[in-house]
Amino acid sequence: MIQTLVFPIKAVKFPTTKFEGSNQLRYKETKMELTITRPDDWHLHLRDGELLEAVIPHSASQFGRGIVMPNLKPPITTTAAAALAYQESILKALPAGSDFTPLMTLYLTDTTDPKEITLARKSGVVFAVKLYPAGATTNSQDGVTDLFGRCLPVLEEMVVQNMPLLVHGEVTDPDVDVFDRERVFIDSVLRPLIQRLPQLKIVMEHITTMDAVKFVESCEEGSVAATVTPQHLLLNRNALFQGGLQPHNYCLPVLKREIHRQAIVSAVTSGSKRFFLGTDSAPHEKRRKECPCGCAGIYSAPIALSLYAKVFEEAGALDKLEAFTSFNGPDFYGLPRNTSKTKLSRTSWKVPECFSFPFGDIIPMFAGKTLEWQSSFN
């Protein structure tokens, strides 16, 4: 079982020859460096307003592109009236000289018009549609209640337009245990959906269980895939309670048992093309996390690449890191891979205790802890 929130790096020996592909490991005395194709974040919350302006530099410094979640208030439900305006706000908030590209998504509702999917595809700006079961997570109150009824024409049009459906895979039935909601969703929603529309491209977001791993692996490659977060690779549900209640480790879907964490690590470090990077980085002000009804979400954007490198090193699979971070996502979406590079150096550094802004503080994942990998964009 996990005893602490940060795991010790295991001693791993690496060959001095180049790995297949563009991965390169080299030694400079005791310093190790890994050069990979610049990664993308295929599940990202940027919020809006002053929170957007605060957090966008972190993602822009780490990633080339990001699939931006649409669960704002009000949600991003249309292309012309909402998605394009949100994209413009993100671009205006980027640091000078940044070439980060936001890839926009639409928020699926019971009243979404199939024509909106056609408009979204033609826009060249919207790249996916997000399914939130109503009440499943932050700002999901406008989400879907009738997927196989009122939403079916929209899903059929998504097949025609080759538009991926991004799924928050949890049921919201209060009679279902919170730790079982992903498993029940797979059986009651995803399997019937694939049987009904086998050509629909689906990304199961932020998977948390062995059940999700087995489900994704059982589906046709290139048709169903999954994003994986740093927290679900590094933490199990003990991290919610060690040393007292830990609100900054609270996210949805909630952390699961150690056997599930291990299954997810094995899947992503196996070299499978079905899994790719999606941080689900979700910033909230400290006062909204540390309160009687704290918000769900973990802010990982500033340290995500360091954490993914940690996972792959501990698994002895650094040669497979680049595919997970930089190849599998764009390949699934049918987009070109980035041509620029990112350098990861095995150099110890301390995660800030918080990031302070005029409106308040944001506490990052692993705040105050020491990590062994640093990233820099070439």
Side-chain angles (χ1 to χ4, degrees), residues 79-90:
T79 302
L84 291 173
Y86 188 26
Q87 181 203 42
E88 183 177 356
S89 297
I90 295 170

Side-chain angles (χ1 to χ4, degrees), residues 171-245:
V171 297
T172 57
D173 184 342
D175 292 332
V176 177
D177 189 284
V178 67
F179 294 103
D180 295 330
R181 290 179 180 178
E182 183 173 272
R183 176 181 57 79
V184 173
F185 185 91
I186 291 169
D187 292 334
S188 63
V189 179
L190 278 184
R191 293 191 193 280
L193 178 59
I194 291 173
Q195 291 174 358
R196 186 76 173 263
L197 295 172
Q199 301 305 312
L200 179 64
K201 295 191 74 168
I202 297 174
V203 178
M204 191 175 182
E205 302 279 22
H206 44 49
I207 61 170
T208 67
T209 61
M210 181 187 302
D211 307 272
V213 168
K214 291 179 178 178
F215 169 74
V216 172
E217 291 177 339
S218 73
C219 297
E220 180 181 353
E221 186 175 291
S223 178
V224 177
T227 57
V228 185
T229 74
Q231 60 263 30
H232 293 112
L233 287 168
L234 283 166
L235 304 177
N236 66 29
R237 65 187 187 178
N238 288 345
L240 291 166
F241 310 109
Q242 289 172 333
L245 189 62

Side-chain angles (χ1 to χ4, degrees), residues 43-335:
H43 185 139
L44 176 62
H45 295 272
L46 289 176
R47 311 306 190 198
D48 55 2
E50 57 186 3
L51 194 51
L52 163 64
E53 295 177 0
V55 303
I56 185 62
H58 289 151
S59 290
S61 68
Q62 300 286 307
F63 302 103
R65 295 167 289 195
I67 284 280
V68 182
M69 294 296 104
N71 57 331
L72 304 184
K73 286 186 176 181
I76 307 299
T77 57
T78 62
T79 302
L84 291 173
Y86 188 26
Q87 181 203 42
E88 183 177 356
S89 297
I90 295 170
L91 293 174
K92 286 182 178 179
L94 285 171
S98 173
D99 61 353
F100 176 83
T101 302
L103 308 177
M104 311 311 296
T105 61
L106 295 184
Y107 185 116
L108 183 65
T109 73
D110 289 343
T111 59
T112 300
D113 192 321
K115 295 179 181 178
E116 194 61 52
I117 306 304
T118 305
L119 294 173
R121 175 55 73 193
K122 289 181 178 178
S123 73
V125 170
V126 176
F127 290 84
V129 176
K130 182 64 180 280
L131 164 61
Y132 290 106
T137 189
T138 303
N139 295 341
S140 62
Q141 60 272 15
D142 297 309
V144 169
T145 65
D146 189 14
L147 183 66
F148 293 104
R150 300 174 71 180
C151 293
L152 188 59
V154 175
L155 299 175
E156 291 172 339
E157 184 61 25
M158 290 175 63
V159 172
V160 173
Q161 299 297 334
N162 194 31
M163 180 73 75
L165 178 69
L166 314 183
V167 176
H168 181 107
E170 291 189 290
V171 297
T172 57
D173 184 342
D175 292 332
V176 177
D177 189 284
V178 67
F179 294 103
D180 295 330
R181 290 179 180 178
E182 183 173 272
R183 176 181 57 79
V184 173
F185 185 91
I186 291 169
D187 292 334
S188 63
V189 179
L190 278 184
R191 293 191 193 280
L193 178 59
I194 291 173
Q195 291 174 358
R196 186 76 173 263
L197 295 172
Q199 301 305 312
L200 179 64
K201 295 191 74 168
I202 297 174
V203 178
M204 191 175 182
E205 302 279 22
H206 44 49
I207 61 170
T208 67
T209 61
M210 181 187 302
D211 307 272
V213 168
K214 291 179 178 178
F215 169 74
V216 172
E217 291 177 339
S218 73
C219 297
E220 180 181 353
E221 186 175 291
S223 178
V224 177
T227 57
V228 185
T229 74
Q231 60 263 30
H232 293 112
L233 287 168
L234 283 166
L235 304 177
N236 66 29
R237 65 187 187 178
N238 288 345
L240 291 166
F241 310 109
Q242 289 172 333
L245 189 62
Q246 301 296 327
H248 297 286
N249 289 335
Y250 171 54
C251 61
L252 290 172
V254 71
L255 301 171
K256 302 299 195 300
R257 290 181 179 273
E258 174 66 3
I259 58 171
H260 296 296
R261 187 194 72 82
Q262 291 177 359
I264 298 170
V265 170
S266 296
V268 303
T269 59
S270 69
S272 172
K273 297 179 180 179
R274 303 169 191 267
F275 305 94
F276 43 86
L277 186 158
T279 64
D280 193 21
S281 182
H284 291 288
E285 296 173 55
K286 179 181 178 181
R287 62 177 178 240
R288 296 193 64 203
K289 293 287 289 181
E290 300 177 3
C291 63
C293 187
C295 294
I298 294 178
Y299 187 54
S300 63
I303 63 169
L305 291 183
S306 299
L307 298 180
Y308 285 120
K310 171 184 177 62
V311 170
F312 277 75
E313 182 185 27
E314 290 181 341
L318 277 174
D319 58 316
K320 297 180 175 64
L321 176 65
E322 184 177 37
F324 173 77
T325 62
S326 312
F327 296 163
N328 298 347
D331 291 355
F332 182 86
Y333 276 85
L335 296 173

Side-chain angles (χ1 to χ4, degrees), residues 350-370:
K350 187 176 181 179
V351 180
E353 295 283 353
C354 71
F355 294 97
S356 297
F357 303 98
F359 59 80
D361 295 338
I362 300 175
I363 308 299
M365 184 178 176
F366 280 25
K369 304 297 183 179
T370 298

